[in-house]
Amino acid sequence: MKDRVIIFDTTLRDGEQSPGASMSLDGKVKVANQLARLGVDVIEAGFPVSSPTQFDAVSLIAELTKGPIIAGLARAVKKDIDVCVQSLKKAKKSRVHTFLATSDIHLEKKLEKTKSQALKMAVNAVKYAKGFIEDVEFSAEDASRTNRDFLFEIIEAVVDAGANVVNIPDTVGYTTPDEYGGLIKDIMRKVRNINKTTISVHCHNDLGLGSANSLAAVVNGARQVECTVNGIGERAGNTSLEEVVMILKTRQDIYPFSTGIKTKEIYKTSKLISIVSGISVQPNKAIVGINAFAHESGIHQDGVLKERTTYEIITPESVGFEKSRIVLGRHSGRHGFKSRIKALGIELKDSQFDKAYERFIKLADKKKEIFDEDLEVIVEDEITVTSETYVLEYFNIVSGNKTIPTAPVSLKKGKQVFQEAACGDGPVDAAYKAINKITKLKAKLVDYSLQAVTGGTDALGEVHVKVAVGNRTAVGMGASTDIIEASVKAYVNAVNRLLAKRKKA
Ligand code: KIV
Ligand code: ZN
């Protein structure tokens, strides 16, 4: 039997801490259910004490998502642990993940605690959590920059206190494979009671080494990898789940370890998370980027046609990257639409489905062929909509080379309808100013990009924007065959995400 590596997914916790990310409650449950289908062992569903919405998300996932262990994050204090335990009440299998910084810099500058105070806090937190839930994980935040002797001491103490899993995070993405592998090796050798626990690793990607560091740790004895789908997370993100899993699967000669991941679910999961979080996947991202299996140069195409393995080390099918040959059109009907959406791994509630179908029909009137990429864009809005959301009713544009661009815009929120008009430097600017008047947010456009989703002059244009209010930012996406409409939708989407973030904060 090969050594099993436990996959601990923290997309809904550390991943949600990505700058610009914001996931609705409904979106989070969808992601959790898909992570269960993907076969992750542990889902870290959130940080319950941090806000009521986080608490609700962890509670709902604990109730509805079956299969994996559901974990909640808690600082090493009673209040956090109490709230965390409460949120996990309905889970079949639950874990309290409690953490405390252990490096000198964090202890002195952030926590203002001595090492012995920290040691006591960690032990007390683990013992306290054990009083409620059997499965307790302790993380020594900033472990990779922690004094080694102190790290060994605190690991030994929390294991004695009952920690089932001890996590050694590289919180700031500073370590390297040799150094981190060496650290894990030393922990395995020097900590007296190490065989009573599982060593976990949690790497950030500030130097682009998240996956490499995690694998070096596995080779040296770690048996749990904490990661996120698409590698999203604080700053440059976390170790990417799909990279670690596919490296283990592809290079069994070097890494003779197994995971419980059903790799064919990877691409679907990646798509869903990019839709729900609003963070698109870079085209050249390993495993899940749209170019990951694209061969552009003539020499490469020729090689692949003659023998696939000349330029392909894994098959697109093995990660569920199957291009549909089914192209929908206006005659496809509800059934065709429904089955294609299902095949893409997207679940919609009846009301969401009806709205998405309406949009599909409208699009099919304008565009002969509807590709999978079009469908993903159509359902994105329906998934991210919440009751707090502004929905675009209509807009009108007056523009020309001898007119001041002007835009009346109407937005609906619940049953209320708002209308405003504004002038601007261009039609998009005018519409954005009108939206700001309605929402009363002094939102600034920080970034704007437009791309065609599919080919041809009737292509669906996809607009991505980043907006900021003070130092809070959010991204938004909108799509339409009309690029002004796509721009307006993207802005409304970003504003909704900003409002959700503000509420959460
Ligand atoms: O990066 C980190 O140290 C964390 C801990 C809370 C595990 O996210
Ligand atoms: Zn982290």
Side-chain angles (χ1 to χ4, degrees), residues 363-391:
L363 181 66
D365 268 345
K366 297 187 198 163
K367 197 169 179 290
K368 262 204 333 246
E369 294 178 319
I370 313 274
F371 298 97
D372 284 354
E373 289 86 343
D374 296 319
L375 291 183
E376 282 157 8
V377 171
I378 287 174
V379 297
E380 128 94 48
D381 287 355
E382 302 317 324
I383 286 182
T384 51
V385 163
T386 71
S387 56
E388 295 298 310
T389 304
Y390 284 104
V391 180

Side-chain angles (χ1 to χ4, degrees), residues 13-14 202 204 238:
R13 200 275 299 168
D14 221 331
H202 175 115
H204 280 267
N238 289 56

Side-chain angles (χ1 to χ4, degrees), residues 1-22:
M1 164 92 170
K2 273 187 282 190
D3 267 338
R4 173 84 147 71
V5 173
I6 294 162
I7 298 295
F8 175 114
D9 181 278
T10 182
T11 308
L12 292 168
R13 200 275 299 168
D14 221 331
E16 218 231 351
Q17 290 172 219
S18 294
S22 79

Side-chain angles (χ1 to χ4, degrees), residues 146-429:
T146 295
N147 170 284
R148 292 232 171 158
D149 289 333
F150 180 55
L151 186 62
F152 301 154
E153 191 184 344
I154 204 163
I155 296 171
E156 192 173 312
V158 293
V159 175
D160 275 343
N164 310 62
V165 179
V166 180
N167 187 29
I168 313 296
D170 179 31
T171 303
V172 289
Y174 180 69
T175 198
T176 63
D178 284 347
E179 182 185 70
Y180 198 52
L183 171 62
I184 302 298
K185 191 175 186 173
D186 281 351
I187 291 172
M188 300 307 292
R189 270 201 322 222
K190 297 193 177 162
V191 176
R192 169 186 52 82
N193 48 6
I194 201 68
N195 58 344
K196 295 210 176 100
T197 196
T198 299
I199 288 296
S200 170
V201 287
H202 175 115
C203 297
H204 280 267
N205 215 20
D206 300 65
L207 293 173
L209 289 171
S211 300
N213 288 338
S214 301
L215 289 167
V218 168
V219 169
N220 285 287
R223 285 296 174 271
Q224 174 175 285
V225 173
E226 303 196 0
C227 44
T228 62
V229 176
N230 300 338
I232 61 173
E234 278 281 358
R235 306 180 309 278
N238 289 56
T239 296
S240 166
L241 179 148
E242 61 277 9
E243 289 173 14
V244 167
V245 167
M246 291 313 289
I247 296 168
L248 291 179
K249 184 168 170 168
T250 310
R251 297 306 308 268
Q252 281 284 298
D253 51 336
I254 297 178
Y255 303 108
F257 304 98
S258 67
T259 70
I261 297 296
K262 296 178 190 73
T263 62
K264 277 180 180 272
E265 294 289 324
I266 286 179
Y267 190 64
K268 261 187 211 170
T269 316
S270 158
K271 275 280 169 198
L272 179 69
I273 285 160
S274 127
I275 289 173
V276 170
S277 68
I279 298 182
S280 38
V281 178
Q282 77 194 57
N284 58 325
K285 169 80 181 65
I287 318 294
V288 291
I290 196 78
N291 292 346
F293 301 98
H295 302 280
E296 182 72 19
S297 95
I299 296 176
H300 287 213
Q301 287 180 358
D302 180 55
V304 170
L305 288 173
K306 286 177 176 148
E307 168 53 46
R308 188 190 61 76
T309 54
T310 50
Y311 288 103
E312 236 174 52
I313 56 161
I314 51 179
T315 63
E317 295 78 27
S318 64
V319 293
F321 193 103
E322 280 159 275
K323 276 264 155 229
S324 155
R325 262 170 272 283
I326 302 171
V327 180
L328 297 181
R330 58 201 293 212
H331 302 297
S332 306
R334 285 179 85 86
H335 186 70
F337 178 68
K338 193 171 210 162
S339 65
R340 199 61 222 137
I341 294 236
K342 204 165 163 217
L344 290 173
I346 301 165
E347 278 172 36
L348 294 177
K349 285 188 201 141
D350 287 351
S351 59
Q352 290 172 325
F353 177 82
D354 289 344
K355 285 197 195 136
Y357 182 66
E358 236 173 76
R359 290 187 54 184
F360 161 72
I361 289 295
K362 275 194 197 145
L363 181 66
D365 268 345
K366 297 187 198 163
K367 197 169 179 290
K368 262 204 333 246
E369 294 178 319
I370 313 274
F371 298 97
D372 284 354
E373 289 86 343
D374 296 319
L375 291 183
E376 282 157 8
V377 171
I378 287 174
V379 297
E380 128 94 48
D381 287 355
E382 302 317 324
I383 286 182
T384 51
V385 163
T386 71
S387 56
E388 295 298 310
T389 304
Y390 284 104
V391 180
L392 177 65
E393 279 273 284
Y394 70 81
F395 69 94
N396 220 330
I397 296 292
V398 182
S399 186
N401 61 351
K402 295 211 170 138
T403 336
I404 297 174
T406 312
V409 177
S410 171
L411 301 183
K412 203 169 173 188
K413 186 175 172 192
K415 288 199 170 110
Q416 274 178 291
V417 178
F418 304 86
Q419 287 171 349
E420 285 291 351
C423 302
D425 287 339
V428 173
D429 185 47

Side-chain angles (χ1 to χ4, degrees), residues 26-40:
D26 180 39
K28 283 185 183 182
V29 175
K30 282 195 168 70
V31 167
N33 289 340
Q34 178 56 29
L35 288 170
R37 282 192 285 274
L38 178 66
V40 306

